[in-house]
Structure formats: structure tokens, C-alpha cells
């Protein structure tokens, strides 16, 4: 625990890259982050320039190295999942980096989901057939840009591109690979059927390696750019979701990490891979005996932001605090008003780009405080559906730890505990995925015995217990909330045809040179 060796956890996110240095006792010694834009050239597109992200990685690492007095024992990486980049034979990008938020492949995903083999594909690969995933994106490229699709020598995610530049190694860890829709998670091998659907070969994909795989050092250019010795080890690392669980100290089966930021997620650690019979959850790898089962939702804190813009534009600069105060004036259950918060369609547990938001049960007596509270309750009810799917996959849940921007609000904390019907523990805030990456790196480099040490390093700040009466109200409303989705799917589909949120397919984009 007193080892002075330092590991820098590098978290490559969709809005910024954050590098944070930790010692083996979990103390944060230095950090730096650099942001970059998310380009949306057409509705439904969400892409980034790989070069900007690589620059952010080396510059943030260099800034941390310059703050440290101690030598760096290694770098370890976390990355947003589901990204996709096409490279030429020299490793240069032919496409932008498509992020998880890119929904251009919605039609391809819906088509794949509709066939009988769609659920089997999900159950083998652990990844829902959804436009977020690389598999439908690859089908989109094959159908919309076949010449470009044929030119691509290698298909990678953003972390693989960065590692290729840093260490000249074309590798992908089992965690990131398990979120592509292309990996058989039970065999830890590329899935032949998925590759056939995507129109790619194993030779076009990076070499599969464990998340603890260590690359021996940096290229000369990368060493100069980061300020590190060329022989600095690089731990390949994992996806940001599993590492966020690790960073919260959620390392044992039955423990759930819940987060609500702009979006949201519910994830439980398990010892063996598995998906529920209805395909409501994903299953992604962390290590050979630690897997993450859960679901992400598109609509978290952005629902509150929408409520402020649409319902209370008069509140001004203190909109969030005043909105939450408004919501507190409405009763539990919002006077019989339910909001389906699908403003950006939805992911778990239905995994469809079709749904839209809806208020159901509006009455003359409802005011904007009811509408705002119903929005908060809708987000938490959606997470409760994800938790039910986690349990349906055969997982016991006995503890929930939560994090994210929502935790600043005592009201929202209480609504979550009441909706889930169980106590919610709020850890002292850490840097999440970067801390998880550093812990995984320390294990890989032999600086700590096991990542289970995280459970002792993360301290709990507060435990919020459900109010029995409120919990009973939400438990009664949850089946209605779930049934509304099923009842409105035909309406959502008709609206999509009659008033589509996406315009006709834009002209083909030129590849990056």
C-alpha cells in the first residue's frame, strides 16, 4: 500500500481525455484533461477526428508527467466503448471516429433485430443489436459506402488507434471487443456469423488480448510527445463502463454501479458472462473472472436540461436548482402523470432507436412542477427496468452504489432509492474510469495483488434509504411504465414514418485523407 510507484490512468471519453496519476494506495497525485468537439454534420451522426483525440491523449499525459516528482511505472487505458474507425494499410484513418451516440445505422440495426437470429447474436456477443454498436455501423458502411468499405485494411476503435500510434501494436482488449457485437464472449474469439454480417475478416480486426496485457514501451515519437521514457510499459486496459464499476469499488458479484450524468447506466459485476433470455442487458468483459452485466440509457440528466428549456425558460441562470425545487413541490408519482423520457430514443432494456418521449395521464390540475418531477421519475423508472433485466439474467443484487451529476440533488437521490426500492450508497467522488484503469494497470504490473483492493479504497459518503410509502407508489407504477412502452411502439413507428427525426440519407461523405 505504501509503494511509491505511480500509474497514470488515461480515460479516453467522448468529450475529453483525462489523465490521472495514482500511487498504489489510491492517492491521486496529479491530473489533467483536454476536451475536443463532437461533430454532428447530419442529424443522427456523432463523429470525431481521431488525430484530435490522439493529441489530447499525449498532451494530457505530458501535463501529468510534468506535475509529478515520482517516476511513472506505467500507463493504463480506459476508453468509451462502441467507437469505430476505418484505417488504411499504413494505419491512417479513412473515416472519422464514429462514437456510441452515432445512430446512422438505425435502419440496419432494426433490420438485424427483427430476424430470429438477432437475439441469438446478442446472446453470443453480449452486445445488443443497436445502432450504437460497431456491427450495425459496419453494415451501414457496406451498404452506403461499399467502395470505402472495401478500401479499409483495419477496423478499430479509438483506443486501438491511440495504442497503434503510441506503441505500434494493433491490439484490442477483450473488454472493448466484447462491446463490438463481433466477439463471441463465451469463446473469447471473433464470431464467424457476426463477421459475415459485417463483411469483415479476422485479419481486418486487431489481435485480441486480455485487459491486463502489457505492451513493452512507447515509440520514439510517443516518448518525446509524452515526456516519458521509451521503455514505459503500457497496460492495454478496458472499456470505461467496466472500469467505472472498478473505480467505484464495485468489484464483487451482487454489487451494482448506477450512474446518471447526461445519460445513465446500471451495471453489476458477475463471474461468468451471460445475457437474460429477452436480451435486455449487455455483457462486457473486465478480466477473465469479472464481467459486467447491465444496460445504459440515453436519457439521464439531459431530460432535466430539456425540462428547463421547454417548461421553464424563465428560470435563468439558476435553472437546475429552481427546477429541482419545483419538482419537490409535486407529490410522489406526480399526481398520476407518467413521462416516458425517450427524448433521444433509448437503449436498455429495449435497445431500439424507434421510441420517442411521451407524457401520459395529463389532467387539468397538472402544472409544470408535476411535469418536471415526472421527468425525474421517468429516468429513475427506466433504470428500474434495467435493474429488473439485470436480475432476469440470473444475477442477485444486494447493493447499489451511485455516482454522477444527479447526486448533487437530495431530491433526485431520494427518488432513485425510492424507485429502486433499496438503499443507494454514494461513494466519495473519484475520477471513475481513470481510477479503474490505474487499478487494473497496477495489478497488471504487479504493484497490487488484486483489483479487489478497490473495495477497500473507495469510501462511502452517504447512504440513502427508500421511504416505504414512496417505494410502494413507484412499485405500483413500474408495470404501467413498462406497459406504456409496448403499447406505444406502433405509434412511435408511425410517427417515425410520418414525421421522421432523421432526414433522407445525405450524400456520401468523403473519407478523411
Amino acid at each position: 500500500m505504501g509503494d511509491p510507484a505511480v500509474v497514470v490512468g488515461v480515460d479516453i471519453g467522448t468529450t475529453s481525455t483525462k489523465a490521472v496519476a495514482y500511487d498504489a494506495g489510491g492517492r491521486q497525485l496529479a491530473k489533467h484533461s483536454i476536451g475536443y468537439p463532437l461533430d454532428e454534420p447530419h442529424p443522427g451522426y456523432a463523429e470525431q477526428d481521431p488525430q484530435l483525440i490522439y493529441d489530447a491523449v499525449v498532451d494530457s499525459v505530458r501535463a501529468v508527467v510534468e506535475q509529478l516528482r515520482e517516476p511513472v511505472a506505467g500507463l493504463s487505458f480506459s476508453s468509451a466503448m462502441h467507437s469505430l474507425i476505418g484505417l488504411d494499410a499504413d494505419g491512417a484513418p479513412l473515416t472519422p471516429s464514429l462514437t456510441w451516440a452515432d445512430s446512422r445505422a438505425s435502419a440496419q440495426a432494426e433490420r438485424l433485430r427483427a430476424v430470429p437470429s438477432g437475439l441469438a447474436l446478442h446472446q453470443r456477443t453480449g452486445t445488443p443489436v443497436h445502432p450504437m454498436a460497431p456491427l450495425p455501423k459496419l453494415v451501414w458502411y457496406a451498404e452506403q459506402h461499399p467502395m470505402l468499405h472495401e478500401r479499409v485494411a483495419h477496423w478499430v476503435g479509438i483506443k486501438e488507434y491511440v495504442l497503434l500510434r503510441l506503441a505500434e501494436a494493433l491490439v484490442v482488449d477483450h473488454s472493448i471487443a466484447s462491446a463490438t457485437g463481433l466477439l463471441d464472449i463465451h469463446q473469447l474469439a471473433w464470431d464467424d456469423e457476426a463477421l459475415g454480417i459485417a463483411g469483415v475478416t479476422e485479419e481486418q480486426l486487431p489481435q485480441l488480448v486480455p485487459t491486463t496485457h502489457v505492451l513493452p514501451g512507447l515509440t520514439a515519437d510517443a516518448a518525446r510527445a509524452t515526456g516519458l521514457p521509451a521503455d514505459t510499459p503500457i497496460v492495454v486496459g478496458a472499456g470505461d463502463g467496466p472500469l467505472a464499476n472498478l473505480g467505484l469499488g464495485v468489484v464483487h458479484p451482487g454489487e451494482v454501479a448506477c450512474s446518471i450524468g447526461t445519460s445513465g447506466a446500471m451495471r453489476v459485476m458477475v463471474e461468468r458472462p451471460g445475457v437474460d433470455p429477452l436480451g435486455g442487458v449487455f455483457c462486457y468483459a473486465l478480466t477473465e473472472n469479472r464481467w459486467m452485466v447491465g444496460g445504459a440509457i440515453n436519457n439521464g440528466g439531459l431530460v432535466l436540461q430539456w425540462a428547463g428549456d421547454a417548461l421553464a425558460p424563465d428560470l435563468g441562470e439558476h435553472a437546475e436548482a429552481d427546477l429541482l425545487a419545483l419538482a419537490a413541490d409535486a407529490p410522489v408519482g406526480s399526481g398520476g402523470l407518467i413521462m416516458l423520457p425517450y427524448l433521444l430514443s433509448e437503449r436498455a432494456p429495449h435497445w431500439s432507436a424507434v421510441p420517442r418521449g411521451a407524457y401520459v395521464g395529463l389532467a387539468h390540475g397538472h402544472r409544470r412542477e408535476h411535469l418536471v418531477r415526472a421527468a425525474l421519475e421517468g429516468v429513475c423508472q427506466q433504470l428500474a427496468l434495467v435493474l429488473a433485466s439485470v436480475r432476469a439474467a440470473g444475477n442477485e443484487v444486494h447493493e447499489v452504489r451511485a455516482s454522477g451529476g444527479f447526486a448533487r440533488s437530495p431530491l433526485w437521490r431520494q427518488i432513485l432509492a425510492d424507485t429502486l426500492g433499496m438503499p443507494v450508497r454514494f461513494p466519495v467522488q473519484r475520477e471513475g474510469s481513470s481510477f479503474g484503469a490505474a487499478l487494473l494497470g497496477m495489478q497488471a504490473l504487479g504493484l497490487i495483488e488484486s483489483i479487489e483492493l478497490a473495495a477497500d479504497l473507495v469510501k462511502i459518503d452517504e447512504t440513502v434509504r427508500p421511504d416505504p410509502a414512496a417505494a410502494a407508489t413507484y412499485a405500483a407504477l413500474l408495470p404501467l411504465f413498462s406497459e406504456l412502452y409496448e403499447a406505444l411502439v406502433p405509434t412511435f413507428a408511425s410517427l417515425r414514418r410520418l414525421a421522421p427525426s432523421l432526414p433522407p440519407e445525405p450524400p456520401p461523405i468523403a473519407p478523411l485523407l
Side-chain angles (χ1 to χ4, degrees):
M1 294 288 289
D3 196 318
V6 173
V7 171
V8 178
V10 184
D11 179 28
I12 306 172
T14 51
T15 59
S16 67
T17 284
K18 182 181 298 180
V20 189
Y22 296 93
D23 67 13
R27 291 177 296 178
Q28 184 182 118
L29 304 178
K31 68 177 179 178
H32 191 80
S33 64
I34 296 176
Y36 29 75
L38 178 69
D39 299 324
E40 300 175 273
H42 306 287
Y45 285 39
E47 56 190 44
Q48 294 176 311
D49 183 344
Q51 180 65 46
L52 290 180
I53 297 177
Y54 176 77
D55 291 343
V57 169
V58 295
D59 291 346
S60 59
V61 169
R62 185 178 190 91
V64 165
V65 170
E66 290 173 347
Q67 295 176 53
L68 292 172
R69 298 178 181 176
E70 303 86 349
V72 173
L75 302 178
S76 185
F77 282 82
S78 164
S79 173
M81 308 178 95
H82 311 299
S83 59
L84 181 68
I85 309 168
L87 305 179
D88 67 16
D90 296 323
L94 292 173
T95 74
S97 175
L98 276 57
T99 76
W100 68 266
D102 192 290
S103 61
R104 71 185 70 186
S106 294
Q108 287 75 16
E110 291 298 321
R111 190 173 73 236
L112 290 172
R113 282 175 57 83
V115 298
S117 59
L119 179 57
L121 188 65
H122 178 176
Q123 292 173 332
R124 282 201 316 279
T125 67
T127 303
V129 182
H130 186 273
M132 69 178 183
L135 172 57
K137 291 181 171 80
L138 287 165
V139 178
W140 182 89
Y141 270 118
E143 294 177 353
Q144 298 297 322
H145 303 284
M147 294 180 65
L148 173 60
H149 189 275
E150 291 179 6
R151 286 179 58 200
V152 171
H154 299 288
W155 293 99
V156 302
I158 188 59
K159 181 155 73 73
E160 296 79 75
Y161 172 74
V162 168
L163 293 176
L164 179 62
R165 294 280 303 274
L166 287 176
E168 294 184 339
L170 188 60
V171 296
V172 61
D173 66 82
H174 290 145
S175 179
I176 292 293
S178 66
T180 62
L182 302 171
L183 182 79
D184 184 330
I185 59 174
H186 307 282
Q187 304 296 326
L188 289 182
W190 298 118
D191 184 88
D192 289 338
E193 182 184 356
L195 297 188
I197 292 169
V200 300
T201 65
E202 285 192 32
E203 291 72 26
Q204 289 179 282
L205 301 175
Q207 176 190 351
L208 291 165
V209 297
T211 58
T212 52
H213 184 74
V214 180
L215 302 174
L218 301 160
T219 67
D221 287 344
R224 282 191 296 271
T226 58
L228 288 168
D231 61 353
T232 302
I234 300 173
V235 179
V236 173
D240 58 355
L243 289 174
N245 272 41
L246 180 56
L248 286 175
V250 177
V251 293
H252 300 298
E255 298 173 346
V256 168
C258 176
S259 62
I260 306 178
T262 302
S263 55
M266 182 80 67
R267 306 175 297 257
V268 63
M269 283 290 188
V270 298
E271 295 178 333
R272 291 176 298 277
V275 174
D276 68 295
L278 297 179
V281 295
F282 53 58
C283 182
Y284 302 144
L286 178 57
T287 63
E288 65 279 356
N289 59 1
R290 285 291 183 271
W291 293 75
M292 187 184 73
V293 169
I297 64 174
N298 286 353
N299 304 279
L302 71 84
V303 177
L304 182 64
Q305 180 182 359
W306 170 86
D309 295 339
L311 304 175
D314 55 300
L315 295 182
E317 62 178 297
H318 302 297
E320 181 175 312
D322 291 342
L323 272 174
L324 292 165
L326 266 177
D329 290 337
V332 171
S334 303
L337 181 63
I338 293 175
M339 183 196 185
L340 301 183
Y342 309 138
L343 303 180
L344 292 179
S345 70
E346 195 47 283
R347 285 183 281 172
H350 303 294
W351 303 106
S352 174
V354 171
R356 295 188 176 191
Y359 278 103
V360 178
L362 271 171
H364 187 267
H366 286 130
R367 297 293 181 264
R368 65 179 180 176
E369 56 264 32
H370 298 87
L371 274 71
V372 175
R373 184 178 185 113
L376 303 181
E377 292 175 339
V379 171
C380 293
Q381 292 279 40
Q382 191 67 24
L383 287 168
L385 291 183
V386 178
L387 183 61
S389 292
V390 167
R391 287 179 165 138
N395 302 297
E396 177 187 353
V397 175
H398 57 75
E399 179 179 336
V400 176
R401 295 189 180 192
S403 65
F406 91 105
R408 295 189 299 266
S409 165
L411 173 67
W412 210 343
R413 287 185 181 215
Q414 190 64 54
I415 291 174
L416 180 65
D418 294 341
T419 305
L420 299 182
M422 59 188 303
V424 179
R425 307 180 78 191
F426 291 86
V428 175
Q429 290 300 304
R430 287 188 177 270
E431 298 295 345
S433 297
S434 60
F435 183 47
L439 286 170
L440 187 66
M442 290 174 196
Q443 175 180 302
L445 297 172
L447 302 177
I448 61 174
E449 183 176 345
S450 168
I451 56 174
E452 294 188 7
L453 175 70
D456 300 321
L457 295 179
V458 178
K459 306 304 179 185
I460 300 301
D461 181 53
E462 180 185 1
T463 298
V464 176
R465 303 185 182 281
D467 174 84
T473 297
Y474 290 129
L477 287 172
L478 185 60
L480 301 179
F481 182 89
S482 179
E483 290 166 7
L484 279 172
Y485 173 88
E486 301 295 342
L488 290 174
V489 162
T491 302
F492 293 144
S494 296
L495 284 172
R496 189 175 179 88
R497 289 192 299 269
L498 295 172
S501 57
L502 299 180
E505 192 66 42
I509 54 172
L512 295 178
L513 299 178

